[in-house]
Amino acid sequence: MTIETLPLSLPSKVNHNTGAAELIELAIARGEANFSAGGALAVETGVHTGRSVQDKFTVRDASTDKVVWWDNNKPMSPEQFELLWADFKAHARTRELFVQDLFAGADPAHRLNARIFLEYAWHALFIRHLLRRPAASELANFQPQFTVINLPSFKADPKKYGVRTETVIACNFAKRLVLIGGTSYAGETKKSVFTYLNYAMPEKGVMPMHCSANADKKGNSAIFFGLSGTGKTTLSADASRTLLGDDEHGWSDDGVFNFEGGCYAKTINLSKEAEPEIWDATNRFGTVLENVILRPGSREPDFNDNRLTENTRSAYPLDFISNASPTGMAGHPKNVVMLTADAFGVMPPIAKLTPSQAMYHFLSGYTAKVAGTEKGLGKEPQATFSTCFGAPFMPRHPSAYGNMLRDLIAKHNVDCWLVNTGWTGGKFGVGKRMPIKATRALLNAALAGKLKSQAMRTDPHFGFQVPLELPGVDAAILNPRETWADKAAYDAQARALVDMFRKNFEKFERHVDDDVKAAAPALKEAAE
């Protein structure tokens, strides 16, 4: 590799497309990681155990000024970026770097050639797992179209660059370049690629989605939207279906395709009984365990230990999952599933959505967080609305993605479902978590088309259709109000949640049609 192929002046040493085994050796030798009992590479990310959303900036120039959703994206001037870029190059020259040439996108018609520069060997292994690895013949003539440079040892000067802290994620879409400094959390690299795809794909007529996806034996796919903790990875890892991917996909005229080549699964409270596929992939040689504590002596991972963070993760290639698709592509979805973990105990375990209701709930992106999932959360659940189920990665206005989804649902006659994996019988602290067996049974019935023949009721608040029964599922949980001992308390909580939805959606009302506005839930008493 010559200096002309690099966007940097030559660093002290460059390790270009180093393989997984050597990266593991180097990570151990450099003191970046330790082996777990099962051979996984255990790493810690220091003070940053998740994404630094408030430290992410987008360059505001002629190409982005009228396109980017600036209410959701922090601007950086081109001049500030150039100062940052000059200092990044100077800093990189003092470091040993690992460079990986990878594809983002399983479909050759839409994939992105990404060149990733990294300071840590384990970061190189991580992104090698998470993106798609070109064949040797494809590497021979690899031409990068997009670059990410991740230097955790670089500390940003807030006054010089106009940033908030020493941590910075700076996205320059015109240059197709992202600079990451001051954080060791590996997910920043992956999400930087996704952010660019969210910006670029709509111009090609491709819907970028923060979702997991799988397919039946006929190749009909299902996509699962959902925020962290709603079961997106768990429910898509179904042994009876082929896994396309667990986090990021595109929907084109030809069908659905995975952006990634691996999985990034949450491991807090992971068990072999509840999630056998993820358990097996997590406990094997080559997997990266992020902020998972190893038991002293045995080095067995303790997946229940949250001392470092609730956001413990494992990163592994898709082929660690036995039923994963080798192509990462499938036909158009027959079903779209929107997952929520409603900690208020109001939502039913499953509901059928009209296209207008689907767009309303897609733009809302609702879930609820509870104590223990993030620092600073109190005893009461907190509603979270992350539009399109991925607001931090949405450069364009949500309506752009919402309109694309609505059109695709209509064009391909897709059934849409809202699935609540949260609480039943009361809110968090009073009720209990929705049984995973019931969720899987209802979801499998929906994907197989069996719920279409079931009698439905109309939810009095949200207006969607809820099945009255399904063989093998306790009918009581299908009507949330009936699971509460205090019916008046349920009614009050339902009204409060409806009010949260309506207030959150006010910012979208001028961007959507009347049918979507009419899909809003209503503030009224439940039917007796």
Side-chain angles (χ1 to χ4, degrees):
M1 179 176 60
T2 64
I3 189 172
E4 286 77 21
T5 67
L6 292 170
L8 302 175
S9 296
L10 191 64
S12 57
K13 183 179 179 182
V14 174
N15 304 278
H16 194 201
N17 290 325
T18 308
E22 188 175 352
L23 288 173
I24 292 168
E25 289 178 347
L26 288 168
I28 295 293
R30 289 157 56 98
E32 298 175 4
N34 294 299
F35 278 122
S36 72
L41 204 64
V43 300
E44 295 184 9
T45 63
V47 296
H48 295 90
T49 58
R51 291 177 292 102
S52 300
V53 179
Q54 298 303 315
D55 296 309
K56 184 176 181 179
F57 296 83
T58 301
V59 174
R60 188 167 192 166
D61 56 20
S63 65
T64 59
D65 185 47
K66 304 297 184 183
V67 177
V68 168
W69 179 32
W70 294 112
D71 290 347
N72 186 63
N73 293 270
K74 296 177 182 295
M76 172 181 279
S77 72
E79 293 76 17
Q80 289 169 328
F81 184 87
E82 288 303 319
L83 288 173
L84 179 65
W85 178 215
D87 289 349
F88 248 74
K89 287 186 281 189
H91 188 77
R93 284 194 287 270
T94 69
R95 320 304 294 180
E96 178 179 357
L97 294 184
F98 298 86
V99 183
Q100 292 285 317
D101 292 332
L102 300 161
F103 294 141
D107 187 343
H110 301 294
R111 72 188 181 196
L112 179 74
N113 292 5
R115 175 162 286 169
I116 316 294
F117 292 80
L118 305 140
E119 191 174 352
Y120 296 159
W122 81 262
H123 273 197
L125 179 66
F126 170 92
I127 202 62
R128 187 177 174 85
H129 286 346
L130 267 296
L131 294 184
R132 303 188 70 86
R133 295 161 296 284
S137 58
E138 293 170 316
L139 285 174
N141 299 302
F142 189 92
Q143 295 296 319
Q145 301 166 311
F146 175 75
T147 304
V148 179
I149 302 171
N150 189 334
L151 305 177
S153 64
F154 182 90
K155 304 300 182 186
D157 182 341
K159 291 183 179 179
K160 185 174 184 179
Y161 315 124
V163 298
R164 192 180 69 101
T165 68
E166 291 185 336
T167 300
V168 63
I169 302 97
C171 307
N172 191 319
F173 294 142
K175 289 181 177 292
R176 297 185 177 188
L177 173 64
V178 176
L179 308 177
I180 303 171
T183 172
S184 296
Y185 180 66
E188 294 288 11
T189 302
K190 161 186 146 72
K191 290 302 184 183
S192 293
V193 177
F194 186 35
T195 298
Y196 178 75
L197 291 172
N198 266 338
Y199 174 78
M201 285 290 173
E203 292 183 354
K204 301 178 65 177
V206 177
M207 169 72 178
M209 303 176 293
H210 183 211
C211 70
S212 59
N214 60 26
D216 63 19
K217 294 179 180 179
K218 296 180 180 180
N220 298 315
S221 61
I223 56 180
F224 302 79
F225 291 104
L227 300 172
S228 179
T230 59
K232 182 161 52 74
T233 299
T234 299
L235 293 173
S236 59
D238 184 335
S240 67
R241 296 173 65 87
T242 300
L243 178 69
L244 298 183
D246 78 332
D247 200 35
E248 299 162 3
H249 293 78
W251 188 352
S252 72
D253 290 338
D254 298 318
V256 173
F257 63 97
N258 191 2
F259 285 164
E260 300 180 284
C263 295
Y264 193 30
K266 290 194 75 171
T267 59
I268 194 69
N269 301 321
L270 178 67
S271 71
K272 187 174 181 62
E273 294 70 31
E275 300 172 89
E277 292 84 10
I278 297 172
W279 174 274
D280 289 342
T282 295
N283 288 279
R284 64 178 286 180
F285 179 80
T287 290
V288 176
L289 296 182
E290 197 175 63
N291 296 315
V292 174
I293 289 180
L294 304 181
R295 293 187 177 95
S298 71
R299 292 201 182 181
E300 292 286 345
D302 187 348
F303 296 116
N304 299 314
D305 194 326
N306 65 355
R307 278 179 289 169
L308 293 178
T309 177
E310 285 278 335
N311 191 37
T312 56
R313 299 269 183 166
S314 69
Y316 47 85
L318 267 170
D319 58 21
F320 280 20
I321 299 289
S322 60
N323 63 322
S325 166
T327 67
M329 298 187 290
H332 295 289
K334 295 292 185 183
N335 293 275
V336 166
V337 180
M338 299 183 189
L339 300 168
T340 181
D342 175 29
F344 297 105
V346 170
M347 294 281 198
I350 197 166
K352 181 78 163 57
L353 304 177
T354 67
S356 298
Q357 289 170 339
M359 186 171 177
Y360 182 91
H361 285 279
F362 180 69
L363 291 177
S364 296
Y366 165 70
T367 192
K369 295 178 181 179
V370 297
T373 58
E374 284 188 6
K375 292 181 180 180
L377 289 178
K379 295 181 179 180
E380 292 296 311
Q382 292 187 15
T384 296
F385 294 93
S386 184
T387 187
C388 307
F389 297 97
F393 330 117
M394 298 293 158
R396 297 173 182 270
H397 192 275
S399 60
Y401 308 105
N403 287 329
M404 291 187 77
L405 182 66
R406 180 189 59 186
D407 293 345
L408 286 163
I409 287 170
K411 181 177 180 179
H412 299 288
N413 193 29
V414 181
D415 289 327
C416 299
W417 308 90
L418 184 71
V419 171
N420 173 26
T421 61
W423 274 255
T424 183
K427 65 181 181 179
F428 171 76
V430 178
K432 60 182 181 180
R433 195 76 191 251
M434 196 73 69
I436 185 66
K437 289 184 178 179
T439 300
R440 285 196 181 277
L442 290 163
L443 182 58
N444 289 340
L447 299 184
K450 296 179 180 179
L451 284 189
K452 292 181 180 180
S453 61
Q454 296 294 319
M456 300 271 190
R457 67 176 179 86
T458 301
D459 184 273
H461 288 292
F462 287 87
F464 41 48
Q465 298 294 295
V466 182
L468 294 173
E469 61 180 359
L470 182 74
V473 175
D474 182 2
I477 70 168
L478 293 171
N479 188 340
R481 189 172 189 266
E482 295 306 311
T483 67
W484 283 53
D486 186 342
K487 303 296 190 289
Y490 171 86
D491 292 340
Q493 187 63 75
R495 290 195 302 272
L497 182 58
V498 167
D499 190 47
M500 294 178 209
F501 265 89
R502 295 176 70 91
K503 288 180 178 177
N504 171 72
F505 205 80
E506 288 175 356
K507 58 182 174 287
F508 301 127
E509 287 183 346
R510 66 187 181 92
H511 298 283
V512 300
D513 295 336
D514 289 341
D515 63 315
V516 179
K517 295 177 188 176
L523 287 164
K524 58 185 177 183
E525 294 290 342
E528 292 295 334

